[in-house]
Amino acid sequence: DVSDGPSRSHAMGGKDNLVSFSNAGSSPTNTLYLAGGIDESGPVSLSDVWQLELSGTLSSNLPNSLQGSWSNISLSSSTEALSGAGGTVVQQEVVAVGGCTGTSNANSSCASQVSYVLNLGTNGTTSPATCVAPREGAAVAANENGVLSNFATQVFVLSGLFNTSEWDDDGGSTKGEVVYISS
C-alpha cells in the first residue's frame, strides 16, 4: 500500500543506497527520491523533490507486507524547470545533468550544460562546474566503487543527445564521461 505521490513523467532520481532500519530495528527501510520532470502543467522545477519510503517485504506471495509513503521535501532554493535531464542519487543528493530549460519538448537543439546537486540532508542546492557536453536524455549512475573515498562523490554520465553542429565532445558521448560532484 503506497499513499498518493506526484504524477509526472521524465523525472530523475533513484534509490538512496544508505539503507536504514526502522525504529523497531528489524525492518529495513528503502528510500527513493524523485525530482523535477513534467506534469500536466509542463516542466517542474528540480527543487520539487519527493521522497518515497518503503518498508516491509517486497514479495509476490505477500502482497500486503510492503508499506510506502510519499512526502514532499522543501528545498531552501529554487532551481530551473528541466526536461530531459539525466539524474541519479548519491548519498542523499539528487544529481541532475543536462536537459532543456522550461520546455516539455526536449531535444538535442535545446540541450544545456547545466548540472545541479540537490542536497536532501541540508535542503540546499549547488550548481557545480561541469565539463560535460550539453546533453539531453543522458544516463547518469553513481560510482559505487568503494576503493577510494572520493569515488563516493562521482557519477558517470553516459550517452544522451547533443547538438553536434554547436558542440564537439571529442567522442565523449560514445565513450562515457566521468563527472565529479561536490556537496
Side-chain angles (χ1 to χ4, degrees):
D1 181 36
V2 177
S3 61
D4 290 337
S7 175
R8 58 183 65 168
S9 63
H10 299 88
M12 69 214 57
K15 179 183 179 289
D16 183 355
N17 287 328
L18 302 174
V19 175
S20 61
F21 286 85
S22 70
N23 293 337
S26 60
S27 175
T29 301
N30 291 303
T31 302
L32 296 122
Y33 295 104
L34 180 85
I38 301 170
D39 66 12
E40 66 278 352
S41 62
V44 177
S45 169
L46 283 177
S47 56
D48 185 26
V49 179
W50 287 81
Q51 175 180 2
L52 174 62
E53 288 193 55
L54 298 170
S55 61
T57 304
L58 178 59
S59 174
S60 61
N61 62 340
L62 299 170
N64 298 319
S65 65
L66 183 67
Q67 296 79 39
S69 63
W70 283 100
S71 58
N72 190 260
I73 299 174
S74 296
L75 296 179
S76 59
S77 57
S78 178
T79 58
E80 297 179 277
L82 294 175
S83 59
T88 192
V89 174
V90 178
Q91 299 179 354
Q92 286 193 303
E93 295 178 331
V94 177
V95 180
V97 179
C100 294
T101 305
T103 179
S104 296
N105 235 355
N107 58 58
S108 64
S109 65
C110 65
S112 67
Q113 197 171 11
V114 67
S115 60
Y116 288 101
V117 177
L118 312 174
N119 188 318
L120 306 174
T122 64
N123 292 336
T125 304
T126 57
S127 186
T130 183
C131 61
V132 177
R135 295 290 161 97
E136 185 273 323
V140 180
N143 184 351
E144 295 185 11
N145 184 334
V147 174
L148 296 175
S149 61
N150 65 337
F151 286 168
T153 59
Q154 294 178 356
V155 297
F156 295 100
V157 179
L158 304 168
S159 301
L161 302 174
F162 68 96
N163 190 338
T164 57
S165 67
E166 294 181 16
W167 190 270
D168 178 8
D169 78 337
D170 197 30
S173 64
T174 59
K175 300 173 193 169
E177 297 175 278
V178 178
V179 178
Y180 296 90
I181 61 166
S182 61
S183 19

